[in-house]
Amino acid sequence: MDKKSRKELLEEYKQLKTYMGVIQIKNNASGKIYVAAYPNLKNKWLTIQGQLVSGTHANFYLQKDWKELGPEAFTYDVLEEKEANEVTDMRWELKQIIKPWLEKLQPYGDRGYNKPPRKDI
């Protein structure tokens, strides 16, 4: 590849937009939901499905239900997405965009798979 082509491809790559956001996975049998924020939503559902199929997803209860009910019992939705190219503090941004969704949906206990927020003393 010549330098000009390489430079053009690099410039095109820099122009691609990356989207961060909040997703929801819903167990259609029980109505329980899992809400999470990720720095890059591209192909995120495929990644999560791969983890669930291989038994390596971090959420034990979601993993357990997936194994028992199978993939057809779950749906995936993007609740919010935001362009991530200009974000300087990704962790802070992700916390900010997920907070209202957790407050609104309350995906804890019988309603969901998320751990309840810690109460500061």
Side-chain angles (χ1 to χ4, degrees):
M1 177 181 296
D2 63 19
K3 285 187 178 184
K4 184 178 179 187
S5 296
R6 180 179 163 88
K7 188 174 182 178
E8 288 172 0
L9 285 173
L10 188 59
E11 201 53 44
E12 281 180 40
Y13 176 76
K14 287 179 182 178
Q15 298 302 318
L16 289 176
K17 292 186 183 335
T18 303
Y19 293 93
M20 59 189 243
V22 180
I23 61 98
Q24 171 184 282
I25 300 171
K26 182 176 183 178
N27 177 332
N28 296 313
S30 68
K32 290 177 83 168
I33 59 174
Y34 175 71
V35 179
Y38 294 102
N40 188 346
L41 293 179
K42 185 177 180 184
N43 300 322
K44 186 46 74 178
W45 181 224
L46 292 174
T47 302
I48 294 169
Q49 283 179 310
Q51 292 170 341
L52 290 164
V53 166
S54 66
T56 59
H57 194 273
N59 188 291
F60 173 81
Y61 297 104
L62 175 61
Q63 181 68 66
K64 181 177 176 283
D65 284 354
W66 180 277
K67 185 176 180 182
E68 289 175 11
L69 301 170
E72 57 280 342
F74 293 85
T75 53
Y76 171 88
D77 291 300
V78 175
L79 300 176
E80 181 177 347
E81 68 180 13
K82 181 177 178 181
E83 196 172 315
N85 294 13
E86 301 299 319
V87 172
T88 54
D89 188 346
M90 184 63 72
R91 290 179 81 174
W92 184 86
E93 283 287 338
L94 290 172
K95 285 179 184 178
Q96 298 311 304
I97 65 170
I98 196 172
K99 195 182 299 183
W101 288 104
L102 293 174
E103 289 171 6
K104 177 181 178 181
L105 299 173
Q106 295 290 310
Y108 315 114
D110 293 339
R111 296 178 60 161
Y113 297 102
N114 292 69
K115 291 180 183 176
R118 293 185 307 186
K119 301 204 190 265
D120 292 331
I121 299 174

